[in-house]
Amino acid sequence: MLHYAADSSSFIFPPPAAIHLLTMAADSISDSDSDSSGSHISATPPRVSHPSHPPESTPRVSPIPTLKRRKLQTRTTNSDEPEIQKIAAADLSNVQGFTMKKILKVSDSGRSTSFSSLVLSRCPSFDPSSDLSKDDVAAPHSAVPSDRAGNRLNIVRLHPNWLGPETLSPAVPPPPLLKRPTGSCVGNFVRLNINGYGRAKTFSYRKGKKRTFPSHRSRKFSRVSDKEEGQVEDVRWSTKPWQSSGCGGALVAAAVDAARAEPSDENMRKLLKLTHGYDCFREGQLEAIKQVVAGESTMLVLPTGSGKSLCYQLPALILPGLTLVVSPLISLMVDQLRQLPPAISGGLLCSNQTREEASEILGQLHAGHIKVLFVSPERFLNSEFLSMCKDALSISFVAIDEAHCISEWSHNFRPSYLRLRASEFRSLLNVQCFLAMTATATIRTLHDIMAALEIPNKNLIQAFQIRENLQLFAETELVCKHLCDNNIPAKVYHGSVPMKERIKTLELFLSNKIRVVVATVAFGMGVDKHDVDSVFAMVLSRTLLFNENLLWKLGGQGGMVDSLIVIFYLITQHTISFVAFYIDPLYYKMLTKVACSDGVDEYAIGNLLSHIFPKDLSLNRNIYSLIKESASCRFDMKEESSSVRHVLYPNNRSNTCNGSEKKHGQYVFDIPTIVNCARTTSKDLLDHIQNLKSLEEVTYDLKDPAFCFTVVRKPDDFFSLATNLTTILSEIEKCKVQKLDEMFEVANFTVKECNRIDGCSSMMHTPCIRKKVSEYFCKDSNVQPNFSSRIQNRGRYIEIDFPSVMKAATSELMDFVPKAGT
Ligand SMILES: Nc1ncnc2c1ncn2[C@@H]1O[C@H](COP(=O)(O)OP(=O)(O)OP(=O)(O)O)[C@@H](O)[C@H]1O
């Protein structure tokens, strides 16, 4: 029986003899402005009894009394309260406003009674990190709704409040039903929606295409929503089967055999022609392919769009086993999967797949039907996936896309990439060969990547090219409002815009329904639109490497060196017609401060540690959770600075969970609470809910990104632990500040110190900027970057304040973009 105290919004999940589901109206749901766009609905953690008040998030006394306390963190403490519950309760308190609407009794399916026995039969060493991993935040998966030819294959319009299709594959024998892979799509909260719509059924495959048939319940919705602008589309591109085209297939097979027997240039070229239709390799490709085929780990640095994918595609075809491609974003994976040539079968595993979809992929992997598998770095937390790879699959090599994410010195460091280490891969997967690929990396970044993957120096292949376009990003809201006020329809796109709205904006932009998007770097990765003629960059960047990929993808211009010298430019018909550099020392100071504020002091760390390890903590292997957003407020650590993550997951076994949308009539509970009360595992809990879903009793969403953890050992010495962690975090902070300094140095030199002997003039500083950028990239190295000569060097360089930059940029934009109705 499920207890629910309506006034306190808390419940206790019972031993699972019979399960009652509550539907509630969540009156107090508020919109989230976070990436996850998850609502703020939450339920309470396990309580001793039924509390009559909403749970309080009471902080504890720091175990480090001598540390200086921050003003912001001054709180009352209550050391009498059971500490463990407070951890779990910390962020689960905002459920006021629910009203109970009805209680449904779900028929006991037999599975529900087996909850306890399931637990007992499970491995007691349950690792929450493997179960509660986030596969990717990322760019909206609808970012690439069509392939380059404009085909919109295998795209299913879904009801936005609905997860998990009942996928059937009449053309492919159903794979053995495998367990839901741990780590896939597990949120901290599950929201059951008893009134949810049914989900479209996707049937696959007939001649490589999927057809979508709306389920009975969703038919009505689909008809309506088809006309909705910006409807979220779910790209059902989880596999791309090998397409043998008669004797063409036989020719490819023969060419593969030949290249395998003798990996000569000639054989490689023949294979390239047959599989991709190209006559010759581009710079760096052949060398990289031959190295990988020879089993040598390789570091490949080629500019964006130069054909890095080919360097894993051909070896994948030639080598006998499976190739794993690690990619940071789902949209990138989808794009890469789509671009595999017909001769190479591919699949992807990502967090937003359902159990059926993941099972289908796993079945195909077992059957050897997949040659290239795209996965996120978080997938390597998934013990089931790892043991399957090790025991049942032979992996030829692992290709790591956007490998710069490994390095804290890179422009796009991702903690989850830190676990991509040769030693780990060797022991976990029996893999010896790695191909690291990136378009941009400084010497320091390269060093980090090659060290992590144990790539010998001689195996570095680098066709260096710095593009010179310059980019800023803007105070988007302001600019957008200004444009709209002046009759130019525009939308903003930045990290604080809820994901659903971002997806909608992206779709409108990609389908040319809106012409202006005022965006930050959040718009960058994963966007592939080739008919953008004009890009206005209007803000300062924090690093020389700032999002080089963006402008390349938007119209093939390439972007580079936005900076503290701020660059403001206009590209028309692929020609830069206006460039202005501005320098703003005040803004530099501001950015430096922001970078510093990413760090945390020892007191904050101590505060967090005292919550993780309360005095009366018993090592009971319970799962606790800290919702990211509230954790960062509570401990005064910026969410994006990853500090909490570093503390909780010193080995960077980070976990976050997917967000969800605001809906009424739903029942919300947190996974750790139920798991702990029922002494089960989150996997079994989710299996159970899936089961209910398959009985069409519920639909559910996962929401509220959270850090989930179990405490395996108490630290012996809080002081030294806090000190060590602080040191690590301040190193990261130092990197950021140093990058800013480098940036400012270039800016300052350009504007104030350039002696104008290298072709610079009072208003023209491209030569000296090039020189500085080369120096930046080539520190400690003899590599000389090539510069393309696309830029029309017209511009002016003056020292000016940032508001003026914005004003100037905005008025340029206003002149350029036609107003609505004109
Ligand atoms: N040898 C070649 N000859 C002609 N075109 C090629 C060759 N190799 C790759 N291409 C094409 O170049 C385009 C870009 O390739 P790809 O997407 O692999 O680039 P990339 O370096 O991975 O880019 P990114 O950094 O954006 O991921 C693709 O359309 C690909 O088919």
Side-chain angles (χ1 to χ4, degrees):
M1 152 143 211
L2 188 105
H3 305 279
Y4 173 72
D7 56 341
S8 69
S9 312
S10 73
F11 64 83
I12 298 174
F13 199 84
I19 294 184
H20 301 261
L21 302 175
L22 304 180
T23 355
M24 303 175 198
D27 297 326
S28 65
I29 296 168
S30 61
D31 267 332
S32 166
D33 201 27
S34 70
D35 271 10
S36 68
S37 74
S39 76
H40 289 216
I41 314 166
S42 56
T44 56
R47 293 274 155 177
V48 185
S49 59
H50 306 237
S52 53
H53 302 291
E56 291 171 14
S57 54
T58 316
R60 266 163 266 158
V61 179
S62 166
I64 310 172
T66 54
L67 294 173
K68 198 177 136 220
R69 285 168 187 268
R70 283 183 172 186
K71 268 190 197 168
L72 277 173
Q73 291 165 327
T74 310
R75 291 168 188 275
T76 56
T77 58
N78 179 2
S79 54
D80 295 336
E81 199 173 322
E83 303 290 298
I84 263 204
Q85 289 179 12
K86 276 193 290 184
I87 293 176
D91 307 298
L92 314 174
S93 54
N94 48 348
V95 285
Q96 297 94 326
F98 284 103
T99 52
M100 199 184 307
K101 274 167 55 181
K102 64 175 176 178
I103 298 178
L104 286 185
K105 178 166 182 179
V106 176
S107 60
D108 192 343
S109 64
R111 248 188 100 75
S112 33
T113 54
S114 63
F115 239 63
S116 311
S117 55
L118 273 174
V119 179
L120 293 173
S121 66
R122 294 291 166 197
C123 170
S125 60
F126 165 68
D127 176 3
S129 59
S130 66
D131 239 21
L132 293 166
S133 70
K134 170 188 99 166
D135 248 333
D136 223 296
V137 198
H141 45 264
S142 57
V144 277
S146 62
D147 66 17
R148 287 200 169 140
N151 299 321
R152 295 167 72 90
L153 300 179
N154 299 329
I155 295 175
V156 182
R157 279 179 185 276
L158 296 179
H159 187 293
N161 184 35
W162 177 75
L163 290 175
E166 291 80 43
T167 307
L168 300 176
S169 304
V172 177
L177 188 65
L178 300 176
K179 281 271 171 206
R180 176 193 179 87
T182 53
S184 68
C185 198
V186 180
N188 187 48
F189 293 90
V190 170
R191 182 171 53 192
L192 296 175
N193 180 9
I194 296 171
N195 299 321
Y197 291 92
R199 189 166 182 177
K201 292 185 170 64
T202 307
F203 294 86
S204 63
Y205 297 91
R206 291 235 181 261
K207 296 191 177 164
K209 293 194 176 189
K210 284 185 177 181
R211 294 185 58 202
T212 304
F213 303 94
S215 72
H216 171 70
R217 278 197 234 168
S218 66
R219 239 171 251 152
K220 188 174 166 201
F221 173 81
S222 298
R223 272 200 300 275
V224 176
S225 66
D226 274 352
K227 289 178 186 146
E228 262 181 39
E229 260 190 355
Q231 166 76 34
V232 176
E233 288 178 323
D234 196 7
V235 184
R236 306 253 138 251
W237 255 89
S238 48
T239 54
K240 183 162 180 177
W242 182 73
Q243 292 162 17
S244 162
S245 45
C247 69
L251 282 177
V252 171
V256 168
D257 285 345
R260 199 175 284 167
E262 196 200 337
S264 63
D265 294 6
E266 192 47 38
N267 283 343
M268 293 294 178
R269 237 172 254 124
K270 277 185 192 157
L271 188 59
L272 173 73
K273 181 76 184 166
L274 280 170
T275 53
H276 291 74
Y278 303 135
D279 292 322
C280 56
F281 287 101
R282 287 179 177 166
E283 189 184 356
Q285 286 181 328
L286 182 59
E287 203 183 344
I289 290 165
K290 285 170 77 172
Q291 260 178 215
V292 176
V293 169
E296 290 191 43
S297 293
T298 299
M299 176 77 239
L300 180 64
V301 187
L302 295 180
T304 301
S306 57
K308 290 185 286 298
S309 316
L310 193 83
C311 302
Y312 66 76
Q313 289 171 356
L314 281 195
L317 197 56
I318 295 167
L319 294 170
L322 173 73
T323 294
L324 285 184
V325 180
V326 185
S327 206
L329 298 179
I330 294 173
S331 62
L332 289 181
M333 289 189 233
V334 172
D335 210 21
Q336 287 171 330
L337 178 64
R338 191 178 275 151
Q339 285 174 30
L340 283 181
I344 303 175
S345 56
L348 77 84
L349 281 173
C350 67
S351 60
N352 60 0
Q353 283 167 329
T354 60
R355 183 174 57 169
E356 292 87 354
E357 287 169 327
S359 292
E360 185 181 328
I361 304 296
L362 295 174
Q364 292 193 26
L365 279 170
H366 272 300
H369 292 158
I370 289 177
K371 281 296 284 178
V372 177
L373 180 70
F374 297 91
V375 291
S376 69
E378 286 80 6
R379 184 62 50 178
F380 297 104
L381 288 174
N382 185 318
S383 52
E384 198 170 337
F385 172 73
L386 291 174
S387 61
M388 183 196 75
C389 285
K390 189 165 184 176
D391 302 339
L393 303 173
S394 153
I395 297 171
S396 303
F397 70 101
V398 177
I400 293 153
D401 200 14
E402 311 289 349
H404 54 264
C405 297
I406 287 179
S407 170
E408 285 175 18
W409 287 97
S410 79
H411 58 296
N412 210 354
F413 167 60
R414 292 256 322 248
S416 58
Y417 261 66
L418 274 180
R419 73 175 66 92
L420 306 181
R421 319 223 141 243
S423 51
E424 295 265 315
F425 280 128
R426 262 198 306 271
S427 66
L428 294 173
L429 300 171
N430 280 337
V431 181
Q432 310 292 336
C433 180
F434 310 100
L435 170 64
M437 300 177 291
T438 181
T440 43
T442 61
I443 296 299
R444 215 178 279 148
T445 300
L446 282 181
H447 177 267
D448 286 355
I449 301 169
M450 293 168 76
L453 297 170
E454 298 175 18
I455 299 172
N457 286 344
K458 67 178 176 54
N459 288 356
L460 167 66
I461 298 171
Q462 193 171 24
F464 212 92
Q465 187 186 10
I466 296 179
R467 280 179 271 283
E468 312 134 77
N469 293 347
L470 312 164
Q471 142 139 24
L472 339 164
F473 70 93
E475 292 195 0
T476 53
E477 301 280 353
L478 212 62
V479 175
C480 187
K481 181 174 178 314
H482 188 71
L483 292 172
C484 292
D485 287 349
N486 285 279
N487 211 16
I488 295 175
K491 292 245 179 220
V492 286
Y493 189 109
H494 54 73
S496 299
V497 174
M499 183 57 87
K500 195 178 166 197
E501 259 175 60
R502 278 195 260 166
I503 293 172
K504 188 169 175 176
T505 298
L506 194 59
E507 292 227 326
L508 292 174
F509 182 64
L510 290 174
S511 60
N512 289 328
K513 287 183 181 142
I514 50 168
R515 296 197 50 193
V516 181
V517 175
V518 189
T520 65
V521 64
F523 194 65
M525 277 171 124
V527 177
D528 212 345
K529 182 164 168 66
H530 293 273
D531 58 349
V532 176
D533 280 336
S534 309
V535 178
F536 288 82
M538 301 160 73
V539 139
L540 314 174
S541 162
R542 294 159 203 211
T543 158
L544 283 165
L545 295 176
F546 181 75
N547 200 26
E548 179 195 356
N549 289 347
L550 174 62
L551 293 188
W552 186 256
K553 299 226 176 208
L554 296 175
Q557 284 294 321
M560 187 58 213
V561 200
D562 49 278
S563 66
L564 274 196
I565 19 171
V566 176
I567 297 110
F568 160 43
Y569 67 105
L570 166 63
I571 307 167
T572 312
Q573 302 301 332
H574 304 301
T575 304
I576 292 187
S577 61
F578 178 88
V579 178
F581 287 176
Y582 302 100
I583 183 166
D584 180 6
L586 281 178
Y587 197 69
Y588 161 69
K589 278 189 196 136
M590 197 186 94
L591 284 180
T592 311
K593 276 188 195 158
V594 170
C596 291
S597 76
D598 280 355
V600 283
D601 65 18
E602 217 168 310
Y603 170 72
I605 301 274
N607 197 12
L608 175 60
L609 289 178
S610 70
H611 282 268
I612 297 168
F613 305 107
K615 276 183 283 185
D616 55 351
L617 172 73
S618 59
L619 299 180
N620 52 14
R621 301 203 69 86
N622 271 1
I623 300 172
Y624 303 104
S625 67
L626 282 173
I627 294 179
K628 278 172 70 180
E629 203 176 326
S630 43
S632 59
C633 295
R634 188 170 180 189
F635 302 112
D636 196 17
M637 295 176 182
K638 280 175 73 179
E639 198 181 301
E640 62 272 29
S641 75
S642 308
S643 301
V644 182
R645 190 185 302 244
H646 275 278
V647 174
L648 284 178
Y649 311 113
N651 298 323
N652 294 291
R653 294 167 67 81
S654 59
N655 295 286
T656 51
C657 316
N658 289 342
S660 62
E661 295 161 22
K662 172 178 141 183
K663 289 282 165 195
H664 292 276
Q666 292 156 347
Y667 175 57
V668 181
F669 60 88
D670 74 300
I671 292 174
T673 299
I674 306 299
V675 165
N676 293 333
C677 282
R679 308 312 301 174
T680 183
T681 65
S682 49
K683 186 168 82 61
D684 288 331
L685 176 66
L686 287 165
D687 279 348
H688 188 75
I689 296 164
Q690 270 285 343
N691 192 36
L692 291 176
K693 197 176 118 224
S694 65
L695 296 172
E696 300 204 335
E697 299 294 345
V698 297
T699 60
Y700 70 87
D701 281 340
L702 299 163
K703 67 181 290 287
D704 280 350
F707 299 102
C708 296
F709 59 96
T710 48
V711 179
V712 288
R713 190 167 67 85
K714 284 189 197 176
D716 303 327
D717 179 357
F718 266 75
F719 283 97
S720 49
L721 179 59
T723 309
N724 288 343
L725 288 167
T726 312
T727 311
I728 293 169
L729 291 168
S730 64
E731 278 298 316
I732 293 171
E733 178 189 306
K734 235 165 63 189
C735 285
K736 288 185 187 159
V737 175
Q738 195 169 324
K739 280 194 243 178
L740 265 177
D741 287 346
E742 281 161 347
M743 205 59 252
F744 190 73
E745 201 211 308
V746 173
N748 212 34
F749 177 86
T750 307
V751 174
K752 293 188 174 163
E753 293 167 24
C754 174
N755 52 17
R756 297 171 177 79
I757 52 171
D758 292 325
C760 297
S761 68
S762 61
M763 291 294 193
M764 305 284 205
H765 289 265
T766 304
C768 76
I769 287 179
R770 286 180 174 185
K771 199 167 155 197
K772 283 281 169 191
V773 172
S774 300
E775 284 167 15
Y776 176 83
F777 271 90
C778 304
K779 265 181 212 150
D780 319 318
S781 141
N782 294 324
V783 180
Q784 281 305 314
N786 300 317
F787 289 91
S788 65
S789 54
R790 283 210 192 90
I791 275 190
Q792 304 284 311
N793 291 322
R794 290 193 282 122
R796 55 202 163 94
Y797 302 76
I798 52 174
E799 195 167 338
I800 198 166
D801 64 323
F802 178 63
S804 309
V805 175
M806 262 199 27
K807 212 168 146 196
T810 309
S811 74
E812 283 288 325
L813 183 57
M814 301 264 306
D815 286 347
F816 181 73
V817 182
K819 298 192 176 188
T822 61

